[in-house]
Amino acid sequence: MHIYALPSGKLLHRSEYYIPRARPHLRYFKFSHSGDIYFDGKRLRFSEHGNLLAQLPDASGSVILSADFSPDDARLAILRETLAGPGKAQRYLQIFSISPAAENQATPVVVQPLWQPRIAAPAHSTVIRFDSDGKQIWVGGFDGRLARLELPGS
């Protein structure tokens, strides 16, 4: 994937892009609200030059359906799907905090899960979005249904 500066059209860098092998039609890429960083499906990177900010913990056996940054870019929500058995998919949310790291850290930010256990998501879920104050997440699906989930501690 190529990252360009707008409106100049200048190529800033090329980015690796992760496509799940089991579902090649799922391609997820998300810029933060500020545009300074992006999530490529596995990592957070600087938009300007592509340098690594942080690697997210891998959830083997799952695929990312959607992701969204909170309005202040301090959290990243990820909607994942995992198989719980033959033909039984489960969807769940993971919420990560994104905070500056200490100077001696290998990456400039620390990404930590905010809440355990995972937050169960409705079976029809395909997309998520934080609301304007970052206290709730809207979950939607291709069937037109919407659900509003209160985040723990909100």
Side-chain angles (χ1 to χ4, degrees):
M1 171 165 296
H2 293 84
I3 308 294
Y4 290 91
L6 297 178
S8 72
K10 177 185 172 192
L11 176 64
L12 297 176
H13 69 92
R14 287 185 47 153
S15 176
E16 294 177 26
Y17 188 67
Y18 293 93
I19 301 170
R21 289 183 193 162
R23 294 185 176 177
H25 63 283
L26 292 177
R27 296 181 175 108
Y28 206 80
F29 191 91
K30 181 71 176 182
F31 281 98
S32 65
H33 292 275
S34 68
D36 294 338
I37 62 175
Y38 64 86
F39 173 62
D40 69 4
K42 289 193 176 213
R43 302 173 293 208
L44 292 172
R45 291 186 171 275
F46 284 107
S47 298
E48 188 172 345
H49 42 70
N51 289 355
L52 179 68
L53 271 167
Q55 177 91 24
L56 266 66
D58 190 26
S60 59
S62 71
V63 294
I64 295 172
L65 299 175
S66 185
D68 195 32
F69 285 93
S70 62
D72 61 1
D73 292 333
R75 290 169 289 157
L76 176 67
I78 298 174
L79 175 64
R80 290 187 185 267
E81 180 181 72
T82 187
L83 291 178
K88 296 190 179 202
Q90 290 183 338
R91 295 181 180 188
Y92 61 92
L93 288 171
Q94 289 181 295
I95 313 292
F96 296 93
S97 68
I98 303 169
S99 57
E103 286 187 33
N104 60 350
Q105 295 282 332
T107 58
V109 298
V110 175
V111 178
Q112 296 286 333
L114 279 178
W115 297 286
Q116 295 294 338
R118 303 168 180 159
I119 303 167
H124 69 277
S125 307
T126 54
V127 66
I128 56 174
R129 291 290 176 264
F130 275 97
D131 69 349
S132 61
D133 65 6
K135 294 181 180 178
Q136 300 171 342
I137 290 185
W138 287 93
V139 180
F142 288 120
D143 60 4
R145 291 188 288 168
L146 287 173
R148 184 178 62 201
L149 303 174
E150 295 283 334
L151 296 177
S154 295

